[in-house]
Amino acid sequence: MKKILITLAFAAGALFTSRQSSAQLTGNAAMKTFIDDLMKKMTLEEKIGQLNLPGSGDIVTGQAQSSDIGRKIKEGKVGGLFNIKSVAKIREVQKVAVEQSRLKIPLIFGMDVIHGYETVFPIPLGLSCSWDMNMVERSARIAAVEASADGINWTFSPMVDICRDPRWGRIAEGSGEDAFLGSQVAAAMVRGYQGNDLSKNNTIMSCVKHYALYGAAEAGRDYNTTDMSRQTMYNDYFPPYKAAVDAGVGSVMASFNEVEGVPATANKWLMTDVLRKQWGFKGFVVTDYTGINEMMDHGIGDLQTVSARALMAGIDMDMVGEGILTTTQQSLKEGKVTMAQIDAACRRILEAKYKLGLFADPYRYCDENRAKTEVFTNDHRKEARNIAANSFVLLKNHGNILPLKKTGTIALIGPMADNKENMPGTWSVAANFEKATSLLTGLKEVLGNKVNILTARGSNLDEDSLFEERAGMFGKSLHRDSRPASVIMQEALDIANRSDVIVAALGESSEMSGESSSRSNIEIPQVQKDLLKALVKTGKPVVLVLFTGRPLALTWENENVPAILNVWFGGSEAGYAIADVLYGDVNPSGKLTTTFPQNVGQVPIYYKHKNTGRPLEDGKWFSKFRSNYLDVSNDPVYPFGYGLSYTNFNYGNLSLSSNALKGNQTLTASITVTNSGKYDGQEVVQLYIRDVVGSVTRPVKELKGFQKIALKAGETKTVTFTITTNDLKFYNADLKYDWEPGEFQIMIGTNSRDVKSGKVNWTK
Ligand code: BGC
């Protein structure tokens, strides 16, 4: 825990002047003294008020005073607000809190700063494909600098829900299917947001979400039930939340779903036993949006009951629903909640504000000058462009069509060819869509007049205008073309026939993934597929630039389109970054962090599966009475960890330092990697381990390490991993975290499918 030298110079805090002697104390002791004193002055109502995080609604500059929220703030009934943008507005409401409420307690200001602020980075799923933790941390750092410059001091990020089901739209917001990688991303983001001193005015408090298991929603339908064994929770779904806690995350958000029959929001086992007692979490827990009220629909009681259950389970702050605000006094009278629990929740929220330095200066994050100079800067945008380019995954490059040459004529076709507002991707609350760069703009900038760019729409996003409306929300218009599909397509074919190469910018719109954007069909919409087929038929080389917020079923595309570059939603600078990669200024190095299935029927499909008692024999497609399908092989189209480069990487043989180890000895596993192609490039070398025999069944492989290395054309490097028994640990049937002696298969490779393998026997 960092030490904070407190300065109780909070001007408006006349009430606190008697506390100034505690300025000599440091860190936790000073904080405790300060909050003890403050809480002695608070009425029950004021304490409950701190637990309230109302929807900010219609805060309009100049009217905060007179609004309903303004009234509540004056009455001490508000702990914080969220998703208000601009220093002016935030300063205005903060002023009401610290000048007109009885105890002058400052508000905390949250926002969904999910993948950048105004400078927007790739959607988290894309960002995770960089496998570059420095970049991940850097993106969060920049987001924190910009958000804090604009008045925000708390972000509802990182979202770390493991997801093995691409039907779920929110897969876009997380880091994919793997707990090991997801844990590293979670920690990197927390470090990036919070830095090493939360009270600095350019760091913000992070909130890991959605605790827990939200990504396992049945059938991929948002907000749906989850149900799994505790072994699976501990081994596969919990680690990223725990990693965020270990990294010092200041707050946690409860998930909407139920866990073992009790909504997470009222689940005491989850919120108190696991989070606080087992993991030692010391910060505060906020519900998700109306998470408490929704428990009435879950069917566990009326508003008073569910609010009391939430509080007693360990929830500290109630987002939007005001169940805690309106029912807790009654519950206390009736003995349904305890004063100790109210005090504990209130204390945690005050502690968060204290750590952010808000008691010392409630306007710490309200510097107009910073807002003008530190948001959407050229430096930030440059980094965002580079990070975006590193998140793209080259899925196919038959005949080395890519990189394209900066000569001749290209036909840029598709509903995503010239659409800037969709580039930032889902959950880009603070983005200014006008400032985002479309692919067409990016290409023009990178190519100047070296290449003749022809462009046409080719198709709408979807034939169904109602679907398109649902997929174009939050100001992300798709500019629907009302002409018949055949006319729109013909126009595109005409320019395609006059070009040397076709770049087809197709796939999903940004709001086809994200919250409440589940799909039961995970293919490219049919009208776009028809267009793609027609483009391929022209015989011209076709590059599919694929926009998507989830793994798609790309069976036809993989078989028929020569080059596919998956660009996710790359953020405000996406247009430039895509042009950089298409034309070889950046060599792609992203690797998938989710499996791409052949069809939706294979879902859930993930690399870390169990073997079953009837596994399909190696190399077989189908075998009667084995675990497989009649109509499709078990293979994905693209496995976890997969991604190509413009160059080639050849792996040598795996070398292990020993084949027999004992106790706490360490094993080193090395492999040589050679860049045998023409371009300098980066490769993510991946280490997987299989625990061959266990007291409980173990996955066929588990990611246990990775290194992203840069290799010049022709260069060879030896990559070495050090493996200790810590890497062999798992939660067993008693949920004890330990390793078991026996045989282990060590695998290193370029993705989860193509690995070199060796064996080791490790005894206790
Ligand atoms: C989402 C959260 C988000 C919250 C606040 C909810 O609908 O599930 O991820 O942080 O809204 O905007």
Side-chain angles (χ1 to χ4, degrees), residues 66 91 141 213 219 259 322 433 448 469 515 543 579 632:
S66 55
R91 179 178 277 278
R141 184 84 286 280
L213 319 182
V259 173
E322 304 208 328
F433 301 142
E469 230 171 79
E515 189 169 351
V543 178
V632 67

Side-chain angles (χ1 to χ4, degrees), residues 41 244 310 332 348 370 374 445 487 559 739:
K41 300 195 179 82
L332 185 65
R348 288 178 195 132
R370 284 192 62 210
E374 295 184 24
E445 144 100 12
V487 175
E559 279 163 13
W739 66 285

Side-chain angles (χ1 to χ4, degrees), residues 64 166 276 284 286 332 394 419 451 457 464 523 527 622 731:
R276 295 197 184 275
F284 75 94
V286 62
L332 185 65
L394 182 62
N419 185 311
V451 174
R457 184 178 183 84
D464 178 354
E523 296 180 24
V527 68
F622 174 82
Y731 290 91

Side-chain angles (χ1 to χ4, degrees), residues 34 87 332 360 476 587:
F34 178 84
V87 168
L332 185 65
K476 292 171 181 168
N587 187 352

Side-chain angles (χ1 to χ4, degrees), residues 433-631:
F433 301 142
E434 280 313 304
K435 293 186 189 163
T437 311
S438 75
L439 177 51
L440 178 60
T441 307
L443 284 171
K444 282 183 179 160
E445 144 100 12
V446 166
L447 299 175
N449 48 18
K450 292 188 198 124
V451 174
N452 182 22
I453 307 173
L454 306 175
T455 186
R457 184 178 183 84
S459 79
N460 281 317
L461 181 87
D462 196 275
E463 262 306 82
D464 178 354
S465 63
L466 289 177
F467 177 88
E468 200 167 294
E469 230 171 79
R470 295 195 291 272
M473 302 185 107
F474 309 125
K476 292 171 181 168
S477 169
L478 293 158
H479 309 286
R480 191 172 176 81
D481 191 326
S482 55
R483 294 174 297 165
S486 57
V487 175
I488 306 174
M489 190 196 285
Q490 192 50 52
E491 184 182 67
L493 292 175
D494 289 345
I495 65 155
N497 283 318
R498 286 192 276 130
S499 70
D500 301 310
V501 58
I502 299 166
V503 172
L506 309 178
E508 297 192 324
S509 65
S510 101
E511 295 310 319
M512 276 174 75
S513 58
E515 189 169 351
S516 187
S517 296
S518 295
R519 295 182 67 195
S520 67
N521 170 351
I522 53 168
E523 296 180 24
I524 295 176
Q526 193 56 47
V527 68
Q528 295 188 60
K529 267 184 119 164
D530 293 343
L531 168 67
L532 188 58
K533 283 181 185 163
L535 294 175
V536 169
K537 235 171 129 188
T538 62
K540 302 272 180 178
V542 177
V543 178
L544 168 59
V545 173
L546 180 72
F547 292 85
T548 182
R550 56 160 59 77
L552 296 179
L554 298 171
T555 305
W556 184 89
E557 292 79 356
N558 183 51
E559 279 163 13
N560 294 284
V561 183
I564 308 176
L565 180 69
N566 179 7
V567 298
W568 308 109
F569 291 95
S572 50
E573 314 308 310
Y576 301 124
I578 299 168
D580 289 340
V581 172
L582 286 178
Y583 282 89
D585 294 341
V586 178
N587 187 352
S589 61
K591 300 265 192 173
L592 297 178
T593 56
T594 43
T595 305
F596 275 47
Q598 295 188 57
N599 62 32
V600 76
Q602 287 184 311
V603 169
I605 179 170
Y606 48 94
Y607 86 92
K608 194 181 163 183
H609 61 83
K610 302 285 186 76
N611 202 38
T612 82
R614 292 189 175 191
L616 185 65
E617 302 93 327
D618 270 351
K620 283 228 172 159
W621 198 104
F622 174 82
S623 219
K624 195 67 187 165
F625 304 119
R626 292 271 145 189
S627 180
N628 48 213
Y629 300 99
L630 283 174
D631 55 352

Side-chain angles (χ1 to χ4, degrees), residues 52 142 268 290-291 297 303 335 372 392 430 440 500 507 520 535 541 557 559 572 581 645 667 708:
N52 192 30
I142 291 172
K268 187 159 190 295
T290 60
D297 284 317
L303 187 61
K372 282 192 205 109
F392 302 158
L440 178 60
D500 301 310
S520 67
L535 294 175
E557 292 79 356
E559 279 163 13
S572 50
V581 172
S645 164
L667 172 70
K708 189 163 188 176

Side-chain angles (χ1 to χ4, degrees), residues 247-355:
V249 74
S251 60
V252 170
M253 187 186 292
S255 59
F256 287 125
N257 56 282
E258 66 175 67
V259 173
E260 296 184 324
V262 179
T265 311
N267 196 313
K268 187 159 190 295
W269 173 74
L270 206 59
M271 294 300 162
T272 298
D273 299 349
V274 177
L275 182 63
R276 295 197 184 275
K277 295 193 183 147
Q278 291 175 20
W279 299 350
F281 176 64
K282 298 274 188 296
F284 75 94
V285 181
V286 62
T287 69
D288 202 347
Y289 204 104
T290 60
I292 290 183
N293 314 57
E294 290 169 22
M295 293 196 285
M296 294 189 281
D297 284 317
H298 275 285
I300 65 161
D302 60 14
L303 187 61
Q304 186 188 341
T305 307
V306 295
S307 303
R309 282 190 68 170
L311 190 66
M312 292 312 287
I315 294 291
D316 303 306
M317 199 177 225
D318 176 0
M319 188 192 287
V320 176
E322 304 208 328
I324 288 188
L325 183 78
T326 54
T327 67
T328 302
Q329 293 199 47
Q330 185 64 23
S331 291
L332 185 65
K333 267 191 224 137
E334 293 170 10
K336 292 182 176 141
V337 301
T338 60
M339 197 57 222
Q341 197 74 18
I342 299 170
D343 277 340
C346 175
R347 177 178 292 276
R348 288 178 195 132
I349 287 154
L350 295 175
E351 282 177 356
K353 294 178 178 184
Y354 185 96
K355 288 177 191 162

